[in-house]
Structures are given as C-alpha cells and as structure tokens.
Amino acid sequence: MEPTEAISSSQTGAKICANCGGTVATGDRGRTNPSYIFALGQITTRFPSLGLEKEFAQAAGRADVEGQTDRQVFQSVLLEQSNRYLARQLCWIFSIEGLETYLLLPRDSADTDQLLDTIRGEPRTGDLDMVIGMRGPIAPPETCNGLQIPIVFFDQIYSFDRDSLLRSIPRPETIPADQEDQFRLAAGELFDRILQLADNAGAADEHRALNYLAVRYPVIYTQASDAFGRNCSLTGVDVRLSRLSGTRKIVDVIFSYTHRTTDVTEKFFVRVDVTEEFPFLVTKLSPYYER
C-alpha cells in the first residue's frame, strides 16, 4: 500500500515536478505519455535525518509502550494522531524483490493514513503492499539521505499477505472440497511466478496487466489448477499488444500449459486495458490460437 520536509505535502511534490523537465506534477493527470505504476512489493520506512530520528525517540519516550517490541513501538507512536507530523516527514520506500525501487509520496496529504496502514507491528515474510499511482522524477539527493530512486505519487495502497490473498480466492464449484488445498497450492505457484518475472517493477504495461490480474482476476488461478490437474505444467506467461489496440492500449496476457507426457501445449489468454492509471478487464479468459 512521505519523505523529508522538502517534499512532505502534495504542494511541494508539485514544486519538485515543476522543475523536472515535463515530469508529472502532483494531481496532473493530463500530461503527455504519463508513466503509471501498478506494483507489488513491500513498504518500509527510513529516517531522513538524525534530527527526525531523535524527535521520534522523544515521542516514544512519552508514549505508554512498555513491553512492546521495537516494531510495535514504531507502529504505536506513528498511529498516535499527535505524531502525524513524524509520519509526514519519514521516507516511505517501496521495495520489489528486496530492491529499493520507489519513494512514495501521496497526491493528497490526507492520504498519509494509507501509508500508516502499511506499518505492521508483527511483520511476516509473506506481507505485501500494492501501490497504484504515477511515476514522477528521481528523488533529489537531499530527500532521503542520498537515496536517489523515482518518486511515485500514489493514489491507492492496499496491504495484505500472500496466504490471505490465496485463501480469499473462491474455490470453483468444479473443484471438490477435498481438493481445496491442491487448488491453493496451484494458485500460489502462479502468483509467485508473476511476482518473480524479471524486472517486474509494475511500470511497464505488461507488468501492470499481470499484477492487475494477480490480485483482481481469480479466474487465472482456477485455470492453473485445472491445468495442473490434467498433468500440465505452466510453461509460459507472455504479454503482447492486442490487435484491438487503437486509440486505447490493450494487451493480451497469454498463459501456456504443456502436457507433461504428450508435450502438447495449450494456451489461454485474457485482454486487459492498460491505457490509464487503473487497468481493467476487456475480455474474459478463453483459449488462445496462434494466427
């Protein structure tokens, strides 16, 4: 699912972008060739200065946090309404596959709550955050202790964990109840495959489409489970520009399954519109035939 005082509000975010050679200013949805983000990863924080770190320590010293772990203290202090000024000045860093990828900044300062919702007092290895927004300029060196990565002005952040997502996928009526565990395993394998695709930073159209399907279209998991049940392996996930693309940008996401015995490959595809910030489904999953 705000860095230093230099960019701690939507107004200053716009000021930074005003000097970045045409990169989007906060709230500007009408620029030419915008770069949208639909990414899955983890949000972490960093103190941009020693002064802010000491200020946080003083706030923690005033709080009733006896017996809590350091992570729980961090969560408790920042969730306190009187300490929101600290949250607005933290560096909120979005990492993908362990690499620091984006610096997050809300379009509206009121959206700080979305960042606070990503703080977990008891983090788990499967924790994930989904960020939807627009990519801005590279952060100036003074923003976050010299960390120079692209800024993302986000509109939405969702926080969840991998197991909860898989449990939320409805089991199709065609799959018996005694095979539900196998269905979840199949869904998990496909989900992991999408996340681990090379360079999936959620910025390219093909990756935005895949990430959208991974969290918004459970039918792809049903198909994967069905294919595994027919002794097929997932041998490819490809994204191609659709023949339907014209004034809008539409991609075909193609899933290939190869029978483990006969080596026959069958393909299924779904069309996704990635023209704007929020992707959406154009056509449902159906067999794909090469032309």
Side-chain angles (χ1 to χ4, degrees):
M1 134 212 211
E2 296 110 47
T4 72
E5 288 189 88
I7 53 172
S8 62
S9 71
S10 57
Q11 291 182 339
T12 43
K15 191 180 299 181
I16 285 176
C17 284
N19 300 316
C20 61
T23 306
V24 61
T26 306
D28 179 9
R29 299 174 183 271
R31 76 176 176 114
T32 304
N33 298 323
S35 180
Y36 300 116
I37 300 296
F38 194 118
L40 293 165
Q42 294 83 32
I43 296 175
T44 57
T45 58
R46 181 183 298 179
F47 291 107
S49 67
L50 180 61
L52 188 66
E53 187 173 358
K54 294 297 185 183
E55 179 66 15
F56 177 87
Q58 292 183 61
R62 296 189 298 268
D64 182 15
V65 292
E66 184 175 351
Q68 294 186 8
T69 66
D70 288 341
R71 289 193 179 101
Q72 289 172 326
V73 170
F74 188 76
Q75 181 184 49
S76 298
V77 171
L78 290 183
L79 290 180
E80 182 65 40
Q81 186 66 39
S82 61
N83 293 328
R84 292 301 169 85
Y85 71 100
L86 295 170
R88 287 192 293 270
Q89 296 183 48
L90 279 173
C91 294
W92 296 85
I93 301 167
F94 189 72
S95 298
I96 299 175
E97 292 292 306
L99 298 177
E100 296 174 333
T101 308
Y102 303 118
L103 201 58
L104 301 181
L105 184 71
R107 287 185 186 272
D108 190 312
S109 59
D111 289 337
T112 299
D113 284 350
Q114 291 193 57
L115 291 169
L116 291 171
D117 287 342
T118 69
I119 300 174
R120 299 169 173 92
E122 299 179 30
R124 302 172 183 172
T125 55
D127 288 340
L128 287 168
D129 301 298
M130 183 178 76
V131 172
I132 304 173
M134 189 176 288
R135 176 171 166 162
I138 301 296
E142 65 274 12
T143 298
C144 189
N145 285 335
L147 183 63
Q148 291 188 270
I149 53 179
I151 295 172
V152 167
F153 299 95
F154 69 84
D155 283 306
Q156 287 187 315
I157 294 177
Y158 297 99
S159 296
F160 54 95
D161 66 83
R162 176 185 180 277
D163 290 343
S164 295
L165 174 68
L166 297 179
R167 286 195 300 270
S168 70
I169 299 172
R171 176 178 56 82
E173 294 181 358
T174 55
I175 296 179
D178 61 358
Q179 296 181 19
E180 180 163 354
D181 288 345
Q182 193 63 28
F183 169 68
R184 305 294 171 198
L185 286 173
E189 183 164 329
L190 178 57
F191 180 75
D192 294 341
R193 185 79 168 266
I194 291 173
L195 288 188
Q196 292 165 8
L197 286 174
D199 301 322
N200 185 352
D205 290 335
E206 58 266 29
H207 293 147
R208 292 173 54 234
L210 282 168
N211 292 343
Y212 163 79
L213 293 173
V215 297
R216 299 277 178 86
Y217 192 56
V219 176
I220 61 173
Y221 299 114
T222 302
Q223 180 60 48
S225 178
D226 179 67
F228 292 150
R230 290 183 285 106
N231 199 28
C232 294
S233 294
L234 176 64
T235 52
V237 180
D238 303 305
V239 184
R240 304 175 186 175
L241 189 65
S242 173
R243 293 180 292 104
L244 297 183
S245 284
T247 57
R248 301 193 65 82
K249 189 177 296 184
I250 300 172
V251 296
D252 294 341
V253 182
I254 306 164
F255 300 91
S256 300
Y257 295 93
T258 302
H259 197 278
R260 298 182 180 111
T261 301
T262 65
D263 208 31
V264 173
T265 297
E266 55 184 4
K267 299 183 178 182
F268 301 86
F269 81 109
V270 56
R271 287 196 173 103
V272 180
D273 189 309
V274 292
T275 309
E276 298 158 0
E277 181 176 8
F278 300 99
F280 61 87
L281 197 69
V282 176
T283 59
K284 298 179 180 180
L285 190 73
S286 59
Y288 179 83
Y289 304 103
E290 300 282 358
R291 296 179 182 275

